[in-house]
Amino acid sequence: MLLWVWIAVVVVALIILVASAAPLLGKLGGLRRAAAKLQRAQAEALKLQERMLALQETVAQVEAKVPHRK
């Protein structure tokens, strides 16, 4: 008889664990999508930073060629 009580306790505990973990597992997909979106935004920001550095170099070269007026 005592064995059945322990089995029932374990089964109820497992049901509670699964019931509480199910919503969290459902949110993992959203977190993965958000992480992928952030990685794409980071890659785009790095590309823009490279373009900005190239533009700065071009501006510096043009400024070096143009005589300064005071």
Side-chain angles (χ1 to χ4, degrees), residues 24-40:
L24 296 176
L25 292 175
K27 292 181 182 181
L28 284 178
L31 289 174
R32 284 191 191 111
R33 285 189 297 274
K37 186 175 180 179
L38 286 173
Q39 286 177 342
R40 286 191 301 271

Side-chain angles (χ1 to χ4, degrees), residues 2-68:
L2 188 59
L3 178 63
W4 290 108
V5 172
W6 283 109
I7 291 174
V9 168
V10 170
V11 168
V12 169
L14 286 174
I15 291 172
I16 292 171
L17 180 65
V18 168
S20 64
L24 296 176
L25 292 175
K27 292 181 182 181
L28 284 178
L31 289 174
R32 284 191 191 111
R33 285 189 297 274
K37 186 175 180 179
L38 286 173
Q39 286 177 342
R40 286 191 301 271
Q42 181 185 21
E44 185 174 338
L46 289 174
K47 287 179 188 176
L48 288 173
Q49 185 179 16
E50 290 173 3
R51 290 175 59 193
M52 186 263 318
L53 290 174
L55 184 59
Q56 277 183 335
E57 290 176 12
T58 304
V59 168
Q61 290 171 357
V62 169
E63 285 179 344
K65 291 179 183 178
V66 174
H68 294 288

